[in-house]
Amino acid sequence: MRKTARKVEPKKSLWERYRSLWLLLIKLAIVILVVWLGLFFVVGIFPVHGNFMYPMLKDGDLAITLKLGGYERGQVVAYEVDGGTRFARIVALNGDAVLIDEQYTINGQQPYEEVFYATEYSTPINVSMNGNQVYLLNDYRENMGDSRSYGPITTDNLKGHVIFMFRWRSF
């Protein structure tokens, strides 16, 4: 009987043996990095505490904000004040004049809004926006945690405008 010669394959290196595992780990690290950068620079996720923006945002909701782009009148934004995150609607931008008396007007005109609660004010306010300031009001106007309490907010304190929200519980 004739013996056939077997080809002896050279030993594979550790890299070659675990190449597919290493490539998977590298791809996974890249995906995690991209998601982290996206969450850090593009979007923000904030829990809603309080009913300042009721009924749009309720206590316990989770709001997703977009940090990119400019801000427009009517957008609901997250902003930083007193070490916490709050939500309010932009009612005035750079160059606008806000007059709050028995009603409120922007540049001498009463704005059209879809607010579910009457807007009654006891303290007159007359403010002109300049630079990178915005004037914010809550939809639930009886709560004063907005620009009526804090004055105009600079856009540096804005954390983005709300693009989506998750309602965790209902009233």
Side-chain angles (χ1 to χ4, degrees):
M1 236 195 224
R2 195 171 187 201
K3 289 188 179 180
T4 56
R6 261 209 246 163
K7 281 189 175 180
V8 177
E9 299 210 9
K11 271 192 160 182
K12 291 184 179 182
S13 69
L14 186 62
W15 169 255
E16 290 171 343
R17 278 194 242 161
Y18 296 108
R19 182 172 184 242
S20 60
L21 179 62
W22 284 109
L23 291 175
L24 177 66
L25 290 175
I26 290 170
K27 289 177 185 178
L28 187 62
I30 290 171
V31 167
I32 289 171
L33 179 67
V34 167
V35 167
W36 181 80
L37 288 173
L39 286 175
F40 190 74
F41 291 109
V42 179
V43 298
I45 302 172
F46 303 102
V48 177
H49 300 290
N51 286 315
F52 295 101
M53 289 300 295
Y54 183 82
M56 182 187 174
L57 294 174
K58 297 179 182 179
D59 186 34
D61 289 350
L62 192 64
I64 311 289
T65 62
L66 182 63
K67 297 178 183 181
L68 301 177
Y71 296 101
E72 299 176 10
R73 188 178 290 117
Q75 286 180 329
V76 175
V77 295
Y79 64 99
E80 177 86 23
V81 68
D82 289 342
T85 301
R86 294 189 180 226
F87 296 88
R89 187 174 305 276
I90 296 175
V91 296
L93 299 164
N94 183 21
D96 289 341
V98 178
L99 175 63
I100 297 177
D101 204 350
E102 292 177 12
Q103 305 179 25
Y104 87 93
T105 60
I106 307 296
N107 300 328
Q109 298 179 342
Q110 188 172 5
Y112 170 75
E113 289 187 309
E114 295 184 21
V115 177
F116 295 90
Y117 301 96
T119 306
E120 296 177 12
Y121 305 101
S122 57
T123 306
I125 298 172
N126 190 356
V127 176
S128 292
M129 301 293 104
N130 55 34
N132 61 347
Q133 295 178 328
V134 293
Y135 201 84
L136 306 172
L137 290 177
N138 300 323
D139 281 357
Y140 189 47
R141 300 286 163 86
E142 291 178 12
N143 288 324
M144 293 280 292
D146 53 22
S147 288
R148 293 172 290 167
S149 301
Y150 303 113
I153 306 291
T154 62
T155 54
D156 296 338
N157 290 338
L158 299 181
K159 294 184 171 187
H161 63 276
V162 176
I163 56 172
F164 193 76
M165 62 97 184
F166 292 104
R167 178 125 313 142
W168 294 108
R169 59 184 179 182
S170 60
F171 287 16

